[in-house]
Amino acid sequence: MNAFDLYVFAVVVAAGLSGALTPIVRDLAIRLRWYDFPSSPVKTHKTPTPVLGGVALWLAFVATLVALRFLTN
């Protein structure tokens, strides 16, 4: 596997995992009632919004790094 293939693999895996994990983590945040409430005029959302979306992205990033670690030397 050459370097270009590894970069394409990393992008595809990270995008796929983040797309798959985001709804799962969102459902978890809703079940746990972890919301961000619009408490100031600076916030752009008008209704309570589930948080933890960053966790899904972080998990996808870390999983991609672990996969690359085992595919390269």
Side-chain angles (χ1 to χ4, degrees):
M1 205 180 258
N2 62 26
F4 179 76
D5 292 338
L6 284 174
Y7 289 131
V8 170
F9 172 79
V11 169
V12 169
V13 169
L17 281 175
S18 64
L21 288 174
T22 299
I24 296 168
V25 172
R26 181 181 183 276
D27 290 341
L28 177 66
I30 290 171
R31 265 190 278 130
L32 295 175
R33 295 185 182 138
W34 287 357
Y35 293 103
D36 180 34
F37 294 96
S39 57
S40 72
V42 176
K43 295 187 177 182
T44 58
H45 55 278
K46 304 297 182 216
T47 60
T49 304
V51 295
L52 295 181
V55 172
L57 297 176
W58 180 82
L59 286 172
F61 175 73
V62 169
T64 303
L65 289 181
V66 170
L68 287 175
R69 168 61 183 99
F70 289 111
L71 291 174
T72 61
N73 52 8

